[in-house]
Amino acid sequence: FSSTTPIKATLFPGDGIGPEIAESVKQVFTAADVVIDWDEQFVGTEVDPRTNSFLTWENLQSVLKNKVGLKGPMATPIGKGHRSLNLTLRKELNLYANVRPCYSLPGYKTRYDDVDLITIRENTEGEYSGLEHQVVKGVVESLKIITRKASMRVAEYAFLYAKTHGRKKVSAIHKANIMQKTDGLFLQCCDEVAKKYPEIYYEKVVIDNCCMMLVKNPALFDVLVMPNLYGDIISDLCAGLVGGLGLTPSMNIGEDGIALAEAVHGSAPDIAGKNLANPTALLLSGVMMLRHLKLNKQAEQIHSAIINTIAEGKYRTADLGGISTTTDFTKAICDHL
Amino acid sequence: FSSTTPIKATLFPGDGIGPEIAESVKQVFTAADVVIDWDEQFVGTEVDPRTNSFLTWENLQSVLKNKVGLKGPMATPIGKGHRSLNLTLRKELNLYANVRPCYSLPGYKTRYDDVDLITIRENTEGEYSGLEHQVVKGVVESLKIITRKASMRVAEYAFLYAKTHGRKKVSAIHKANIMQKTDGLFLQCCDEVAKKYPEIYYEKVVIDNCCMMLVKNPALFDVLVMPNLYGDIISDLCAGLVGGLGLTPSMNIGEDGIALAEAVHGSAPDIAGKNLANPTALLLSGVMMLRHLKLNKQAEQIHSAIINTIAEGKYRTADLGGISTTTDFTKAICDHL
Ligand SMILES: CC(C)[C@H](C(=O)O)[C@@H](O)C(=O)O
Ligand SMILES: CC(C)[C@H](C(=O)O)[C@@H](O)C(=O)O
């Protein structure tokens, strides 16, 4: 790719503040001379029988065809029987690994300095199987499903990620002392993959202990790989260490090189349309997308511009204690480019 | 009860550092004129067929008879088919609620000040059902079981606790957006009980968001009630905020007024027998036991002596950055009484 040949990428602006922060990404990319031919996709207003959700068949085809995309927050319409749009995307597109880096932003002070963590979450099964039923009145059960296939591919992704990103350590997070078969299988797969990466330090950490150590001393960890629900929990905990989901990016990885970067915060309907939203998480997700496309130079330029704007502190949105609008903050980033 | 009539209570000193920290509790109680007739119980060296674990029938009967007890750490012998001793106790004695207070210790600095949280964990079912199997090769499943009975009793305990302890708010922690049936039933029960306590503010918080908010601003929470695994995770996270499991007590509540206070940290075999262990968690668990017995005056005296000793900082064990032995630290607490 060269930065002047347009690359086609799917864009789901999403709901609530989604369109405003998506606009911010477009402006920053343009200011950095990144020419993307955005294939904008909007979720339907009624259930598409082919997807059994408000996501349309075209929505899914767009990602499958372009193989790369960026997604804003999507609120799932409330009411009986609607599957979460976020989860439907992950499942239907077989986005098996969810990568969430969390690092301290220079100049944005939290209780923690120098956090630098990568959570890699299994994204298709586990506690998210959707298999539940009532056994008798007052007794219900949910099934947690762990497969060798899904565990192997996420473990392989985690170790490869560690190696290609110069990381030193992978921690597999589990509760195999209680769920010996499910989390046990997950660990077995991690063990097997770890053997192929003797240069990467490998350890197994029980989830409760992991959470305690993360809040005491996050520097103990580096790359963390884990089943779906633990990933959901730990990635939010890690985001909290550096300021919250408004500041942390993510990317979903599928088979055949598919990658869908995603801001995982909510759609904040209360401030939607008011030019108050913080676009940082979607911008940083966009940076992950550019790195995936090997546009490393532009990715680093945009990344620095975001980081420096926040560090300077002159332009910050309300969630970071500032008074800037989305457009002022975006303009400040563009001015840094 | 009066403090001079001996009260009979079960004591499991436990393994590793257990006997040393149990000795510390005995000395501090004696120094505070709390006369307990300890019924000391030791776990067996082979499986008792009546309990299917190393716990003996007598171990269980002792707690059922005395209705109150204190337990040190117990390591489960490693090897095929041994059930965790801690879990066996909880299940066999039907200890349905696990109460874990976490509060900042004056003078012991962490990144957080003024933490004051109570985690109330469902202690008998959920992800701890032990029901797991292989469906086909490479596909395994675990069952999470939620019942109305267990959810109601822990919800009722949580609200009653909040009311009788002057607490303002109960947060029910869940992932009912994903596990609609199981966590949904748990929430339904909390909703139902909440209606009987209009004076207590009640809210529902998704577990991932809860963990993010806890690390950002723990003051947002007060009493938290939740299914088993979330309680395991969040209680360790909360302990981490104030320094770790070596400083936080717990108590297991059963039917018919049974209460078993418990230090939930490990048995630390590496420092066992070396007079280096920190007895704080077991001592504070002992304080919870005394409060349960309505020996409030003595409980507060002992509590203050522990807190003040740590705050002064002259006598601290190695885990808190000091150089005191277990016996020196214990003596310092006794001197405060
Ligand atoms: C919205 C919700 C279903 C989702 C999840 O649980 O995965 C979210 O918390 C996330 O982490 O992306
Ligand atoms: C030792 C382990 C089985 C136990 C649990 O998971 O409950 C421990 O973590 C605890 O919190 O008491």
Side-chain angles (χ1 to χ4, degrees):
Chain A
F1 298 117
S2 116
S3 66
T4 46
T5 323
I7 296 159
K8 200 150 183 177
T10 301
L11 176 65
F12 292 99
D15 313 314
I17 57 171
E20 293 160 83
I21 60 177
E23 184 56 35
S24 169
V25 172
K26 286 189 208 166
Q27 287 175 12
V28 171
F29 276 28
T30 302
D33 278 333
V34 179
V35 186
I36 302 268
D37 178 9
W38 292 110
D39 177 5
E40 284 202 43
Q41 290 290 324
F42 300 94
V43 168
T45 53
E46 49 192 65
V47 171
D48 186 320
R50 290 166 297 179
T51 66
N52 190 26
S53 91
F54 283 68
L55 287 172
T56 65
W57 185 249
E58 289 71 29
N59 292 162
L60 300 179
Q61 291 310 311
S62 167
V63 183
L64 292 173
K65 196 178 68 220
N66 298 322
K67 295 207 166 191
V68 67
L70 181 64
K71 178 189 160 293
M74 276 184 196
T76 300
I78 293 168
K80 245 172 73 177
H82 293 312
R83 287 167 73 198
S84 152
L85 297 177
N86 302 305
L87 298 189
T88 306
L89 266 177
R90 293 178 198 162
K91 273 205 180 169
E92 295 296 319
L93 297 173
N94 209 6
L95 299 170
Y96 65 84
N98 185 211
V99 185
R100 301 201 188 178
C102 279
Y103 40 87
S104 303
L105 295 179
Y108 184 69
K109 236 190 113 45
T110 70
R111 291 182 166 90
Y112 298 84
D113 305 315
D114 300 324
V115 174
D116 184 13
L117 299 164
I118 309 287
T119 299
I120 298 181
R121 165 184 181 183
E122 199 294 316
N123 219 10
T124 62
E125 57 175 31
E127 308 78 356
Y128 284 65
S129 71
L131 299 169
E132 294 188 293
H133 67 278
Q134 177 174 300
V135 183
V136 295
K137 203 164 176 315
V139 179
V140 286
E141 58 185 36
S142 302
L143 292 183
K144 166 172 169 172
I145 310 284
I146 299 283
T147 67
R148 180 173 160 82
K149 184 178 169 209
S151 304
M152 282 303 284
R153 66 185 177 183
V154 75
E156 271 161 8
Y157 186 82
F159 278 92
L160 187 62
Y161 183 100
K163 185 175 177 165
T164 53
H165 290 76
R167 299 268 170 177
K168 304 265 171 285
K169 178 169 159 180
V170 172
S171 309
I173 313 304
H174 68 95
K175 190 79 194 179
N177 48 340
I178 298 301
M179 283 162 280
Q180 302 182 357
K181 293 205 174 146
T182 48
D183 286 5
L185 175 56
F186 184 83
L187 285 186
Q188 245 174 52
C189 294
C190 292
D191 289 355
E192 230 174 272
V193 176
K195 287 207 186 81
K196 296 191 277 176
Y197 293 86
E199 71 280 21
I200 309 270
Y201 183 82
Y202 168 59
E203 66 175 6
K204 292 173 256 200
V205 184
V206 180
I207 174 137
D208 45 339
N209 188 42
C210 177
C211 290
M212 182 170 81
M213 297 318 294
L214 274 171
V215 300
K216 286 184 74 171
N217 185 8
L220 292 173
F221 296 99
D222 187 349
V223 174
L224 301 98
V225 62
M226 64 205 89
N228 211 339
L229 182 67
Y230 309 155
D232 180 48
I233 293 171
I234 287 195
S235 60
D236 270 39
L237 189 168
C238 292
L241 301 176
V242 300
L245 289 181
L247 298 173
T248 51
S250 94
M251 191 157 73
N252 298 286
I253 305 294
E255 311 268 14
D256 306 320
I258 286 182
L260 181 64
E262 177 186 13
V264 291
H265 56 66
S267 59
D270 49 322
I271 58 161
K274 296 188 178 154
N275 200 13
L276 292 172
N278 182 354
T280 302
L282 194 64
L283 282 165
L284 292 176
S285 300
V287 169
M288 289 183 82
M289 187 189 96
L290 296 181
R291 288 199 189 114
H292 175 81
L293 291 168
K294 304 260 187 291
L295 296 173
N296 290 317
K297 204 175 121 248
Q298 292 92 328
E300 294 327 312
Q301 276 168 353
I302 295 175
H303 190 251
S304 299
I306 300 166
I307 297 296
N308 292 338
T309 303
I310 294 174
E312 277 176 22
K314 198 168 161 213
Y315 295 97
R316 279 189 186 173
T317 47
D319 58 314
L320 301 187
I323 53 157
S324 295
T325 59
T326 309
T327 42
D328 285 347
F329 178 69
T330 303
K331 192 171 170 305
I333 296 170
C334 293
D335 290 345
H336 270 89
L337 282 163
Chain B
F1 297 118
S2 114
S3 67
T4 47
T5 323
I7 297 160
K8 201 152 182 176
T10 301
L11 177 65
F12 293 99
D15 314 313
I17 57 171
E20 293 160 83
I21 60 177
E23 184 56 35
S24 170
V25 172
K26 286 189 206 166
Q27 286 175 12
V28 171
F29 275 28
T30 302
D33 278 335
V34 179
V35 186
I36 301 268
D37 178 9
W38 293 111
D39 178 6
E40 286 201 42
Q41 291 290 324
F42 301 93
V43 168
T45 51
E46 49 191 67
V47 171
D48 187 319
R50 291 166 297 178
T51 66
N52 190 27
S53 91
F54 285 67
L55 287 171
T56 66
W57 185 248
E58 289 71 28
N59 290 161
L60 299 179
Q61 290 310 311
S62 167
V63 183
L64 291 172
K65 196 178 69 220
N66 298 323
K67 296 207 165 191
V68 66
L70 181 64
K71 176 187 162 295
M74 276 185 198
T76 301
I78 294 169
K80 242 171 73 176
H82 294 311
R83 287 168 70 197
S84 152
L85 297 175
N86 302 305
L87 298 189
T88 305
L89 265 176
R90 294 178 197 162
K91 273 206 182 168
E92 295 296 317
L93 298 172
N94 208 5
L95 299 169
Y96 66 85
N98 185 212
V99 184
R100 301 203 188 176
C102 280
Y103 39 89
S104 302
L105 295 179
Y108 183 67
K109 237 190 114 43
T110 69
R111 291 182 168 89
Y112 299 84
D113 305 314
D114 301 325
V115 174
D116 185 13
L117 299 165
I118 309 287
T119 299
I120 298 182
R121 164 183 181 183
E122 200 293 318
N123 218 11
T124 62
E125 57 176 29
E127 306 78 356
Y128 284 66
S129 71
L131 300 169
E132 293 188 294
H133 67 278
Q134 177 173 301
V135 183
V136 295
K137 203 162 175 313
V139 180
V140 287
E141 60 186 32
S142 302
L143 291 183
K144 166 172 169 172
I145 310 283
I146 298 284
T147 67
R148 180 173 160 84
K149 186 178 168 207
S151 304
M152 282 303 284
R153 67 186 177 184
V154 76
E156 271 162 5
Y157 186 82
F159 278 91
L160 187 62
Y161 184 100
K163 185 177 177 161
T164 53
H165 290 74
R167 298 270 170 176
K168 305 269 171 279
K169 177 169 160 181
V170 172
S171 309
I173 313 304
H174 68 94
K175 189 81 193 178
N177 48 339
I178 299 301
M179 282 161 280
Q180 302 182 356
K181 293 205 174 148
T182 49
D183 286 5
L185 175 57
F186 184 82
L187 284 186
Q188 243 173 54
C189 294
C190 291
D191 289 354
E192 233 175 90
V193 176
K195 288 209 185 79
K196 296 192 276 176
Y197 293 85
E199 71 280 22
I200 310 270
Y201 182 81
Y202 168 59
E203 64 175 9
K204 292 173 256 199
V205 184
V206 179
I207 174 135
D208 45 339
N209 189 42
C210 177
C211 290
M212 183 171 78
M213 297 317 295
L214 274 170
V215 300
K216 284 185 75 171
N217 185 8
L220 292 173
F221 297 98
D222 187 349
V223 175
L224 302 98
V225 62
M226 62 205 90
N228 211 340
L229 181 68
Y230 308 154
D232 180 48
I233 293 171
I234 287 195
S235 61
D236 270 39
L237 189 168
C238 292
L241 301 177
V242 301
L245 289 180
L247 298 172
T248 51
S250 94
M251 191 155 73
N252 299 285
I253 305 294
E255 311 269 13
D256 307 320
I258 286 182
L260 180 63
E262 177 186 14
V264 291
H265 56 66
S267 60
D270 49 321
I271 59 161
K274 295 188 178 156
N275 200 16
L276 292 173
N278 182 353
T280 302
L282 194 65
L283 282 163
L284 292 176
S285 300
V287 169
M288 288 184 84
M289 185 188 98
L290 295 180
R291 289 199 189 115
H292 175 81
L293 290 167
K294 305 260 186 291
L295 296 173
N296 290 318
K297 204 173 122 249
Q298 293 92 330
E300 295 327 312
Q301 277 167 355
I302 295 175
H303 190 251
S304 300
I306 300 166
I307 297 296
N308 292 337
T309 304
I310 294 173
E312 278 177 22
K314 196 167 162 214
Y315 295 97
R316 280 189 185 173
T317 46
D319 57 316
L320 302 186
I323 54 158
S324 295
T325 60
T326 310
T327 44
D328 285 346
F329 178 69
T330 304
K331 192 171 169 306
I333 295 170
C334 294
D335 289 345
H336 270 90
L337 281 163

